[in-house]
Amino acid sequence: MKLIFLSKFIDKFELGLTVDPNDKTSMGSIFDKLNDQSLLLNYQKNINNLNKNILNKSKVVKDYYSLI
């Protein structure tokens, strides 16, 4: 159950790729996206932005629990 909320957090901030365990095509889609250099660079930019401007424990916890 917690993994679902973590995937929502990742999706919300566009931090990376998530796999839906109930979707058999999900993994194939992920492998296709791993070849997209611009997508991976965008994830890196978003992670850096999260670390610099957004990330603090109380905000992360609040955002995480808002997805529950």
Short mmCIF file of all heavy atoms in Angstrom, two decimals:
data_model
loop_
_atom_site.label_atom_id
_atom_site.label_comp_id
_atom_site.label_asym_id
_atom_site.label_seq_id
_atom_site.Cartn_x
_atom_site.Cartn_y
_atom_site.Cartn_z
N MET A 1 0.82 -1.19 0.00
CA MET A 1 0.00 0.00 0.00
C MET A 1 0.87 1.26 0.00
O MET A 1 0.58 2.19 -0.72
CB MET A 1 -0.93 -0.04 1.22
CG MET A 1 -1.92 1.06 1.22
SD MET A 1 -3.17 0.81 -0.03
CE MET A 1 -4.60 1.23 0.87
N LYS A 2 1.93 1.28 0.79
CA LYS A 2 2.80 2.45 0.84
C LYS A 2 3.49 2.69 -0.49
O LYS A 2 3.78 3.82 -0.84
CB LYS A 2 3.83 2.31 1.95
CG LYS A 2 3.23 2.39 3.33
CD LYS A 2 4.28 2.25 4.39
CE LYS A 2 3.63 2.28 5.76
NZ LYS A 2 4.61 2.17 6.84
N LEU A 3 3.76 1.62 -1.25
CA LEU A 3 4.40 1.78 -2.55
C LEU A 3 3.51 2.55 -3.50
O LEU A 3 3.99 3.31 -4.35
CB LEU A 3 4.76 0.42 -3.14
CG LEU A 3 5.89 -0.32 -2.44
CD1 LEU A 3 6.09 -1.69 -3.08
CD2 LEU A 3 7.18 0.47 -2.46
N ILE A 4 2.21 2.40 -3.38
CA ILE A 4 1.28 3.14 -4.23
C ILE A 4 1.42 4.63 -3.97
O ILE A 4 1.47 5.44 -4.89
CB ILE A 4 -0.17 2.67 -4.00
CG1 ILE A 4 -0.33 1.23 -4.48
CG2 ILE A 4 -1.16 3.58 -4.69
CD1 ILE A 4 -1.63 0.58 -4.07
N PHE A 5 1.51 5.01 -2.71
CA PHE A 5 1.64 6.42 -2.37
C PHE A 5 3.01 6.96 -2.79
O PHE A 5 3.12 8.10 -3.22
CB PHE A 5 1.40 6.63 -0.88
CG PHE A 5 0.04 6.16 -0.45
CD1 PHE A 5 -0.10 5.20 0.52
CD2 PHE A 5 -1.11 6.67 -1.05
CE1 PHE A 5 -1.36 4.76 0.90
CE2 PHE A 5 -2.37 6.23 -0.68
CZ PHE A 5 -2.49 5.28 0.30
N LEU A 6 4.03 6.14 -2.67
CA LEU A 6 5.36 6.55 -3.11
C LEU A 6 5.36 6.76 -4.62
O LEU A 6 5.93 7.75 -5.11
CB LEU A 6 6.40 5.51 -2.73
CG LEU A 6 7.84 5.83 -3.10
CD1 LEU A 6 8.27 7.17 -2.53
CD2 LEU A 6 8.76 4.73 -2.64
N SER A 7 4.70 5.89 -5.37
CA SER A 7 4.64 6.08 -6.82
C SER A 7 3.87 7.35 -7.18
O SER A 7 4.22 8.04 -8.13
CB SER A 7 4.04 4.86 -7.51
OG SER A 7 2.67 4.72 -7.21
N LYS A 8 2.84 7.68 -6.41
CA LYS A 8 2.11 8.93 -6.65
C LYS A 8 3.01 10.14 -6.41
O LYS A 8 2.95 11.12 -7.13
CB LYS A 8 0.86 9.02 -5.77
CG LYS A 8 -0.24 8.10 -6.21
CD LYS A 8 -1.46 8.26 -5.32
CE LYS A 8 -2.58 7.34 -5.73
NZ LYS A 8 -3.77 7.48 -4.88
N PHE A 9 3.84 10.06 -5.38
CA PHE A 9 4.79 11.13 -5.07
C PHE A 9 5.78 11.29 -6.22
O PHE A 9 6.05 12.40 -6.67
CB PHE A 9 5.51 10.80 -3.75
CG PHE A 9 6.44 11.88 -3.29
CD1 PHE A 9 5.97 12.96 -2.57
CD2 PHE A 9 7.80 11.80 -3.55
CE1 PHE A 9 6.83 13.96 -2.13
CE2 PHE A 9 8.67 12.79 -3.12
CZ PHE A 9 8.18 13.86 -2.41
N ILE A 10 6.31 10.17 -6.71
CA ILE A 10 7.25 10.20 -7.82
C ILE A 10 6.58 10.78 -9.06
O ILE A 10 7.16 11.62 -9.75
CB ILE A 10 7.80 8.78 -8.10
CG1 ILE A 10 8.70 8.34 -6.95
CG2 ILE A 10 8.55 8.73 -9.44
CD1 ILE A 10 9.07 6.87 -6.98
N ASP A 11 5.36 10.36 -9.32
CA ASP A 11 4.62 10.88 -10.49
C ASP A 11 4.29 12.36 -10.34
O ASP A 11 4.44 13.13 -11.29
CB ASP A 11 3.33 10.09 -10.71
CG ASP A 11 3.58 8.66 -11.17
OD1 ASP A 11 4.69 8.37 -11.67
OD2 ASP A 11 2.65 7.83 -11.02
N LYS A 12 3.87 12.76 -9.16
CA LYS A 12 3.48 14.15 -8.93
C LYS A 12 4.63 15.11 -9.23
O LYS A 12 4.44 16.14 -9.87
CB LYS A 12 3.00 14.34 -7.49
CG LYS A 12 2.66 15.78 -7.16
CD LYS A 12 2.22 15.95 -5.73
CE LYS A 12 1.94 17.41 -5.43
NZ LYS A 12 1.49 17.61 -4.06
N PHE A 13 5.81 14.77 -8.77
CA PHE A 13 6.97 15.64 -8.95
C PHE A 13 7.81 15.26 -10.17
O PHE A 13 8.86 15.85 -10.39
CB PHE A 13 7.84 15.65 -7.68
CG PHE A 13 7.19 16.36 -6.53
CD1 PHE A 13 6.58 15.65 -5.52
CD2 PHE A 13 7.16 17.75 -6.48
CE1 PHE A 13 5.97 16.31 -4.45
CE2 PHE A 13 6.56 18.41 -5.42
CZ PHE A 13 5.96 17.68 -4.42
N GLU A 14 7.33 14.29 -10.94
CA GLU A 14 8.01 13.83 -12.14
C GLU A 14 9.48 13.53 -11.85
O GLU A 14 10.40 14.07 -12.46
CB GLU A 14 7.87 14.85 -13.26
CG GLU A 14 6.43 15.06 -13.70
CD GLU A 14 6.28 16.07 -14.83
OE1 GLU A 14 7.28 16.38 -15.51
OE2 GLU A 14 5.16 16.54 -15.02
N LEU A 15 9.69 12.61 -10.89
CA LEU A 15 11.03 12.28 -10.43
C LEU A 15 11.61 11.03 -11.07
O LEU A 15 12.79 10.74 -10.91
CB LEU A 15 11.03 12.10 -8.91
CG LEU A 15 10.55 13.30 -8.10
CD1 LEU A 15 10.47 12.94 -6.64
CD2 LEU A 15 11.45 14.50 -8.34
N GLY A 16 10.78 10.27 -11.72
CA GLY A 16 11.27 9.03 -12.32
C GLY A 16 10.12 8.21 -12.85
O GLY A 16 8.99 8.69 -13.00
N LEU A 17 10.42 6.97 -13.10
CA LEU A 17 9.47 6.05 -13.70
C LEU A 17 8.92 5.11 -12.63
O LEU A 17 9.64 4.69 -11.73
CB LEU A 17 10.16 5.23 -14.79
CG LEU A 17 10.80 6.07 -15.90
CD1 LEU A 17 11.70 5.20 -16.75
CD2 LEU A 17 9.74 6.73 -16.74
N THR A 18 7.65 4.80 -12.75
CA THR A 18 7.04 3.85 -11.83
C THR A 18 6.40 2.73 -12.64
O THR A 18 6.01 2.92 -13.79
CB THR A 18 5.96 4.52 -10.96
OG1 THR A 18 4.97 5.11 -11.79
CG2 THR A 18 6.57 5.59 -10.06
N VAL A 19 6.32 1.56 -12.03
CA VAL A 19 5.75 0.38 -12.69
C VAL A 19 4.47 0.01 -11.98
O VAL A 19 4.43 -0.09 -10.76
CB VAL A 19 6.75 -0.80 -12.63
CG1 VAL A 19 6.13 -2.05 -13.24
CG2 VAL A 19 8.04 -0.45 -13.33
N ASP A 20 3.42 -0.20 -12.76
CA ASP A 20 2.16 -0.67 -12.22
C ASP A 20 2.20 -2.20 -12.19
O ASP A 20 2.21 -2.83 -13.24
CB ASP A 20 1.00 -0.19 -13.08
CG ASP A 20 -0.36 -0.63 -12.58
OD1 ASP A 20 -0.42 -1.44 -11.63
OD2 ASP A 20 -1.37 -0.16 -13.14
N PRO A 21 2.23 -2.80 -11.01
CA PRO A 21 2.34 -4.26 -10.93
C PRO A 21 1.10 -4.99 -11.49
O PRO A 21 1.17 -6.17 -11.79
CB PRO A 21 2.50 -4.54 -9.44
CG PRO A 21 1.95 -3.34 -8.76
CD PRO A 21 2.17 -2.19 -9.69
N ASN A 22 0.01 -4.28 -11.66
CA ASN A 22 -1.20 -4.89 -12.20
C ASN A 22 -1.33 -4.75 -13.71
O ASN A 22 -2.29 -5.22 -14.29
CB ASN A 22 -2.43 -4.28 -11.53
CG ASN A 22 -2.44 -4.51 -10.04
OD1 ASN A 22 -2.17 -5.61 -9.58
ND2 ASN A 22 -2.71 -3.48 -9.28
N ASP A 23 -0.36 -4.07 -14.32
CA ASP A 23 -0.39 -3.84 -15.76
C ASP A 23 0.80 -4.54 -16.41
O ASP A 23 1.94 -4.12 -16.23
CB ASP A 23 -0.35 -2.33 -16.03
CG ASP A 23 -0.41 -1.97 -17.51
OD1 ASP A 23 -0.46 -2.88 -18.36
OD2 ASP A 23 -0.40 -0.77 -17.80
N LYS A 24 0.53 -5.57 -17.17
CA LYS A 24 1.60 -6.37 -17.77
C LYS A 24 2.40 -5.60 -18.80
O LYS A 24 3.54 -5.94 -19.07
CB LYS A 24 1.02 -7.65 -18.39
CG LYS A 24 0.46 -8.59 -17.35
CD LYS A 24 -0.09 -9.85 -17.98
CE LYS A 24 -0.67 -10.75 -16.89
NZ LYS A 24 -1.17 -12.01 -17.41
N THR A 25 1.83 -4.57 -19.40
CA THR A 25 2.55 -3.78 -20.40
C THR A 25 3.38 -2.67 -19.77
O THR A 25 4.18 -2.04 -20.45
CB THR A 25 1.56 -3.18 -21.42
OG1 THR A 25 0.69 -2.28 -20.74
CG2 THR A 25 0.76 -4.26 -22.12
N SER A 26 3.20 -2.44 -18.49
CA SER A 26 3.87 -1.34 -17.79
C SER A 26 5.39 -1.47 -17.87
O SER A 26 6.08 -0.49 -18.14
CB SER A 26 3.41 -1.30 -16.34
OG SER A 26 4.03 -0.26 -15.64
N MET A 27 5.92 -2.66 -17.64
CA MET A 27 7.37 -2.86 -17.65
C MET A 27 7.94 -2.61 -19.03
O MET A 27 8.99 -1.97 -19.17
CB MET A 27 7.73 -4.25 -17.17
CG MET A 27 9.21 -4.48 -17.03
SD MET A 27 10.02 -3.36 -15.88
CE MET A 27 9.80 -4.22 -14.37
N GLY A 28 7.27 -3.05 -20.06
CA GLY A 28 7.75 -2.80 -21.42
C GLY A 28 7.79 -1.32 -21.73
O GLY A 28 8.72 -0.84 -22.39
N SER A 29 6.80 -0.61 -21.27
CA SER A 29 6.76 0.84 -21.47
C SER A 29 7.93 1.52 -20.78
O SER A 29 8.51 2.46 -21.32
CB SER A 29 5.44 1.38 -20.94
OG SER A 29 5.41 2.77 -20.98
N ILE A 30 8.28 1.04 -19.61
CA ILE A 30 9.41 1.60 -18.86
C ILE A 30 10.71 1.43 -19.64
O ILE A 30 11.50 2.36 -19.76
CB ILE A 30 9.54 0.94 -17.46
CG1 ILE A 30 8.33 1.24 -16.60
CG2 ILE A 30 10.83 1.33 -16.77
CD1 ILE A 30 8.15 2.68 -16.24
N PHE A 31 10.93 0.25 -20.18
CA PHE A 31 12.16 0.01 -20.94
C PHE A 31 12.25 0.94 -22.15
O PHE A 31 13.32 1.43 -22.48
CB PHE A 31 12.27 -1.45 -21.36
CG PHE A 31 12.66 -2.36 -20.24
CD1 PHE A 31 11.84 -3.40 -19.86
CD2 PHE A 31 13.85 -2.17 -19.54
CE1 PHE A 31 12.20 -4.25 -18.82
CE2 PHE A 31 14.22 -3.01 -18.50
CZ PHE A 31 13.39 -4.04 -18.13
N ASP A 32 11.14 1.18 -22.81
CA ASP A 32 11.13 2.12 -23.93
C ASP A 32 11.50 3.52 -23.48
O ASP A 32 12.27 4.22 -24.14
CB ASP A 32 9.75 2.15 -24.60
CG ASP A 32 9.42 0.86 -25.32
OD1 ASP A 32 10.36 0.08 -25.64
OD2 ASP A 32 8.22 0.63 -25.56
N LYS A 33 10.99 3.94 -22.34
CA LYS A 33 11.25 5.29 -21.84
C LYS A 33 12.70 5.46 -21.37
O LYS A 33 13.23 6.57 -21.39
CB LYS A 33 10.30 5.63 -20.69
CG LYS A 33 8.87 5.80 -21.17
CD LYS A 33 7.92 6.06 -20.01
CE LYS A 33 6.50 6.19 -20.52
NZ LYS A 33 5.55 6.41 -19.43
N LEU A 34 13.35 4.38 -20.96
CA LEU A 34 14.73 4.47 -20.50
C LEU A 34 15.67 4.88 -21.62
O LEU A 34 16.79 5.34 -21.36
CB LEU A 34 15.19 3.15 -19.89
CG LEU A 34 14.60 2.82 -18.53
CD1 LEU A 34 14.99 1.41 -18.10
CD2 LEU A 34 15.03 3.83 -17.48
N ASN A 35 15.25 4.73 -22.85
CA ASN A 35 16.07 5.14 -23.99
C ASN A 35 15.89 6.61 -24.35
O ASN A 35 16.58 7.12 -25.21
CB ASN A 35 15.73 4.28 -25.22
CG ASN A 35 16.19 2.86 -25.04
OD1 ASN A 35 17.28 2.62 -24.54
ND2 ASN A 35 15.36 1.92 -25.45
N ASP A 36 14.97 7.28 -23.70
CA ASP A 36 14.69 8.69 -23.98
C ASP A 36 15.57 9.57 -23.10
O ASP A 36 15.26 9.84 -21.94
CB ASP A 36 13.20 8.97 -23.74
CG ASP A 36 12.80 10.39 -24.09
OD1 ASP A 36 13.68 11.25 -24.29
OD2 ASP A 36 11.58 10.63 -24.15
N GLN A 37 16.67 10.02 -23.66
CA GLN A 37 17.65 10.81 -22.91
C GLN A 37 17.05 12.11 -22.37
O GLN A 37 17.33 12.52 -21.25
CB GLN A 37 18.87 11.12 -23.79
CG GLN A 37 19.98 11.83 -23.07
CD GLN A 37 20.68 10.95 -22.05
OE1 GLN A 37 20.64 9.73 -22.12
NE2 GLN A 37 21.31 11.56 -21.08
N SER A 38 16.19 12.76 -23.16
CA SER A 38 15.60 14.03 -22.70
C SER A 38 14.67 13.81 -21.50
O SER A 38 14.62 14.64 -20.60
CB SER A 38 14.86 14.73 -23.83
OG SER A 38 13.75 13.97 -24.26
N LEU A 39 13.97 12.69 -21.49
CA LEU A 39 13.11 12.36 -20.35
C LEU A 39 13.95 12.15 -19.09
O LEU A 39 13.63 12.67 -18.02
CB LEU A 39 12.28 11.12 -20.65
CG LEU A 39 11.31 10.66 -19.56
CD1 LEU A 39 10.23 11.70 -19.32
CD2 LEU A 39 10.69 9.32 -19.94
N LEU A 40 15.04 11.42 -19.24
CA LEU A 40 15.91 11.16 -18.09
C LEU A 40 16.56 12.45 -17.59
O LEU A 40 16.70 12.66 -16.38
CB LEU A 40 16.96 10.12 -18.45
CG LEU A 40 16.40 8.74 -18.83
CD1 LEU A 40 17.52 7.80 -19.24
CD2 LEU A 40 15.58 8.14 -17.70
N LEU A 41 16.93 13.33 -18.50
CA LEU A 41 17.49 14.63 -18.09
C LEU A 41 16.45 15.48 -17.37
O LEU A 41 16.78 16.20 -16.42
CB LEU A 41 18.05 15.37 -19.30
CG LEU A 41 19.33 14.80 -19.90
CD1 LEU A 41 19.67 15.51 -21.20
CD2 LEU A 41 20.48 14.88 -18.90
N ASN A 42 15.21 15.39 -17.81
CA ASN A 42 14.13 16.11 -17.15
C ASN A 42 13.93 15.59 -15.73
O ASN A 42 13.73 16.37 -14.79
CB ASN A 42 12.84 16.00 -17.96
CG ASN A 42 11.78 16.93 -17.45
OD1 ASN A 42 12.00 18.13 -17.31
ND2 ASN A 42 10.61 16.39 -17.16
N TYR A 43 13.99 14.27 -15.55
CA TYR A 43 13.88 13.69 -14.21
C TYR A 43 15.02 14.18 -13.33
O TYR A 43 14.81 14.53 -12.17
CB TYR A 43 13.89 12.17 -14.26
CG TYR A 43 12.63 11.55 -14.81
CD1 TYR A 43 12.67 10.36 -15.52
CD2 TYR A 43 11.38 12.14 -14.63
CE1 TYR A 43 11.51 9.78 -16.03
CE2 TYR A 43 10.22 11.57 -15.13
CZ TYR A 43 10.30 10.39 -15.83
OH TYR A 43 9.16 9.82 -16.33
N GLN A 44 16.22 14.23 -13.88
CA GLN A 44 17.36 14.71 -13.11
C GLN A 44 17.17 16.16 -12.70
O GLN A 44 17.43 16.54 -11.56
CB GLN A 44 18.64 14.56 -13.93
CG GLN A 44 19.88 14.98 -13.17
CD GLN A 44 21.14 14.82 -14.00
OE1 GLN A 44 21.07 14.66 -15.23
NE2 GLN A 44 22.27 14.84 -13.36
N LYS A 45 16.68 16.99 -13.61
CA LYS A 45 16.41 18.40 -13.31
C LYS A 45 15.36 18.51 -12.20
O LYS A 45 15.51 19.31 -11.27
CB LYS A 45 15.92 19.11 -14.57
CG LYS A 45 15.62 20.57 -14.38
CD LYS A 45 14.97 21.18 -15.60
CE LYS A 45 13.53 20.75 -15.56
NZ LYS A 45 12.60 21.34 -16.43
N ASN A 46 14.31 17.71 -12.29
CA ASN A 46 13.25 17.76 -11.28
C ASN A 46 13.75 17.30 -9.91
O ASN A 46 13.36 17.85 -8.89
CB ASN A 46 12.06 16.91 -11.72
CG ASN A 46 11.36 17.49 -12.93
OD1 ASN A 46 11.54 18.66 -13.26
ND2 ASN A 46 10.58 16.67 -13.60
N ILE A 47 14.60 16.29 -9.89
CA ILE A 47 15.18 15.82 -8.63
C ILE A 47 16.05 16.90 -8.02
O ILE A 47 15.98 17.18 -6.82
CB ILE A 47 15.98 14.51 -8.84
CG1 ILE A 47 15.02 13.37 -9.17
CG2 ILE A 47 16.83 14.19 -7.61
CD1 ILE A 47 15.71 12.11 -9.68
N ASN A 48 16.87 17.54 -8.86
CA ASN A 48 17.71 18.64 -8.36
C ASN A 48 16.87 19.78 -7.82
O ASN A 48 17.18 20.36 -6.78
CB ASN A 48 18.65 19.13 -9.45
CG ASN A 48 19.74 18.14 -9.78
OD1 ASN A 48 20.06 17.27 -8.98
ND2 ASN A 48 20.30 18.26 -10.96
N ASN A 49 15.79 20.11 -8.53
CA ASN A 49 14.89 21.17 -8.09
C ASN A 49 14.24 20.80 -6.76
O ASN A 49 14.13 21.64 -5.85
CB ASN A 49 13.82 21.43 -9.15
CG ASN A 49 12.88 22.54 -8.74
OD1 ASN A 49 13.30 23.63 -8.37
ND2 ASN A 49 11.59 22.25 -8.80
N LEU A 50 13.82 19.57 -6.63
CA LEU A 50 13.21 19.11 -5.38
C LEU A 50 14.21 19.24 -4.23
O LEU A 50 13.86 19.74 -3.16
CB LEU A 50 12.74 17.65 -5.53
CG LEU A 50 12.00 17.07 -4.34
CD1 LEU A 50 10.58 17.63 -4.30
CD2 LEU A 50 11.94 15.56 -4.45
N ASN A 51 15.43 18.83 -4.48
CA ASN A 51 16.46 18.91 -3.43
C ASN A 51 16.79 20.34 -3.04
O ASN A 51 16.97 20.64 -1.86
CB ASN A 51 17.74 18.20 -3.89
CG ASN A 51 17.63 16.71 -3.83
OD1 ASN A 51 16.89 16.16 -3.02
ND2 ASN A 51 18.33 16.03 -4.71
N LYS A 52 16.85 21.24 -4.00
CA LYS A 52 17.25 22.62 -3.73
C LYS A 52 16.12 23.47 -3.18
O LYS A 52 16.33 24.27 -2.28
CB LYS A 52 17.75 23.29 -5.02
CG LYS A 52 19.09 22.83 -5.47
CD LYS A 52 19.49 23.59 -6.72
CE LYS A 52 20.75 23.03 -7.33
NZ LYS A 52 21.09 23.69 -8.60
N ASN A 53 14.93 23.33 -3.73
CA ASN A 53 13.89 24.31 -3.47
C ASN A 53 12.69 23.79 -2.68
O ASN A 53 11.96 24.59 -2.10
CB ASN A 53 13.37 24.88 -4.80
CG ASN A 53 14.47 25.50 -5.61
OD1 ASN A 53 15.26 26.26 -5.09
ND2 ASN A 53 14.54 25.14 -6.87
N ILE A 54 12.47 22.53 -2.70
CA ILE A 54 11.24 22.01 -2.12
C ILE A 54 11.49 21.14 -0.91
O ILE A 54 10.72 21.16 0.05
CB ILE A 54 10.45 21.21 -3.19
CG1 ILE A 54 10.09 22.12 -4.36
CG2 ILE A 54 9.20 20.57 -2.60
CD1 ILE A 54 9.52 21.38 -5.56
N LEU A 55 12.58 20.39 -0.97
CA LEU A 55 12.78 19.32 -0.01
C LEU A 55 13.08 19.83 1.39
O LEU A 55 14.07 20.48 1.64
CB LEU A 55 13.92 18.42 -0.49
CG LEU A 55 14.03 17.07 0.16
CD1 LEU A 55 12.77 16.25 -0.07
CD2 LEU A 55 15.21 16.31 -0.40
N ASN A 56 12.18 19.57 2.27
CA ASN A 56 12.42 19.64 3.70
C ASN A 56 11.47 18.62 4.30
O ASN A 56 10.45 18.28 3.71
CB ASN A 56 12.25 21.06 4.25
CG ASN A 56 10.83 21.57 4.17
OD1 ASN A 56 9.91 20.91 4.64
ND2 ASN A 56 10.64 22.74 3.60
N LYS A 57 11.81 18.11 5.42
CA LYS A 57 11.07 16.97 5.96
C LYS A 57 9.59 17.25 6.13
O LYS A 57 8.75 16.44 5.75
CB LYS A 57 11.67 16.53 7.30
CG LYS A 57 12.97 15.81 7.15
CD LYS A 57 13.48 15.33 8.50
CE LYS A 57 14.80 14.62 8.34
NZ LYS A 57 15.31 14.12 9.60
N SER A 58 9.23 18.37 6.67
CA SER A 58 7.81 18.62 6.93
C SER A 58 7.02 18.75 5.63
O SER A 58 5.90 18.25 5.53
CB SER A 58 7.63 19.87 7.79
OG SER A 58 8.12 21.01 7.13
N LYS A 59 7.59 19.38 4.62
CA LYS A 59 6.88 19.52 3.34
C LYS A 59 6.74 18.17 2.65
O LYS A 59 5.67 17.86 2.12
CB LYS A 59 7.62 20.50 2.43
CG LYS A 59 7.01 20.56 1.04
CD LYS A 59 6.79 21.96 0.60
CE LYS A 59 6.23 22.08 -0.80
NZ LYS A 59 4.94 21.52 -1.02
N VAL A 60 7.78 17.39 2.65
CA VAL A 60 7.72 16.07 2.02
C VAL A 60 6.68 15.20 2.71
O VAL A 60 5.86 14.55 2.05
CB VAL A 60 9.10 15.38 2.02
CG1 VAL A 60 8.98 13.92 1.60
CG2 VAL A 60 10.05 16.12 1.09
N VAL A 61 6.68 15.20 4.03
CA VAL A 61 5.71 14.39 4.76
C VAL A 61 4.29 14.87 4.46
O VAL A 61 3.39 14.08 4.21
CB VAL A 61 6.02 14.43 6.28
CG1 VAL A 61 4.86 13.83 7.08
CG2 VAL A 61 7.31 13.70 6.57
N LYS A 62 4.10 16.18 4.46
CA LYS A 62 2.77 16.73 4.17
C LYS A 62 2.32 16.35 2.76
O LYS A 62 1.18 15.91 2.57
CB LYS A 62 2.80 18.25 4.32
CG LYS A 62 1.46 18.91 4.04
CD LYS A 62 1.57 20.42 4.18
CE LYS A 62 0.29 21.07 3.75
NZ LYS A 62 0.37 22.51 3.73
N ASP A 63 3.18 16.52 1.77
CA ASP A 63 2.84 16.16 0.39
C ASP A 63 2.59 14.67 0.25
O ASP A 63 1.67 14.25 -0.43
CB ASP A 63 3.95 16.59 -0.57
CG ASP A 63 3.99 18.09 -0.79
OD1 ASP A 63 3.01 18.76 -0.44
OD2 ASP A 63 5.01 18.57 -1.30
N TYR A 64 3.41 13.88 0.91
CA TYR A 64 3.25 12.42 0.84
C TYR A 64 1.91 12.00 1.42
O TYR A 64 1.15 11.26 0.81
CB TYR A 64 4.41 11.76 1.59
CG TYR A 64 4.41 10.26 1.54
CD1 TYR A 64 4.88 9.59 0.42
CD2 TYR A 64 3.94 9.51 2.60
CE1 TYR A 64 4.89 8.21 0.37
CE2 TYR A 64 3.95 8.13 2.55
CZ TYR A 64 4.42 7.49 1.43
OH TYR A 64 4.43 6.12 1.39
N TYR A 65 1.58 12.52 2.60
CA TYR A 65 0.32 12.15 3.23
C TYR A 65 -0.90 12.74 2.55
O TYR A 65 -1.99 12.20 2.66
CB TYR A 65 0.34 12.48 4.71
CG TYR A 65 1.14 11.48 5.51
CD1 TYR A 65 2.30 11.86 6.17
CD2 TYR A 65 0.74 10.15 5.60
CE1 TYR A 65 3.05 10.93 6.87
CE2 TYR A 65 1.48 9.23 6.29
CZ TYR A 65 2.64 9.61 6.93
OH TYR A 65 3.35 8.69 7.62
N SER A 66 -0.72 13.80 1.81
CA SER A 66 -1.85 14.36 1.06
C SER A 66 -2.29 13.43 -0.06
O SER A 66 -3.42 13.51 -0.54
CB SER A 66 -1.51 15.73 0.50
OG SER A 66 -0.63 15.62 -0.60
N LEU A 67 -1.39 12.55 -0.47
CA LEU A 67 -1.72 11.59 -1.52
C LEU A 67 -2.45 10.37 -1.00
O LEU A 67 -3.00 9.59 -1.78
CB LEU A 67 -0.44 11.15 -2.24
CG LEU A 67 0.32 12.26 -2.95
CD1 LEU A 67 1.66 11.76 -3.43
CD2 LEU A 67 -0.48 12.82 -4.09
N ILE A 68 -2.47 10.22 0.30
CA ILE A 68 -3.13 9.04 0.91
C ILE A 68 -4.63 9.18 0.87
O ILE A 68 -5.23 10.13 1.08
CB ILE A 68 -2.63 8.83 2.34
CG1 ILE A 68 -1.16 8.49 2.33
CG2 ILE A 68 -3.43 7.72 3.04
CD1 ILE A 68 -0.54 8.34 3.69
#
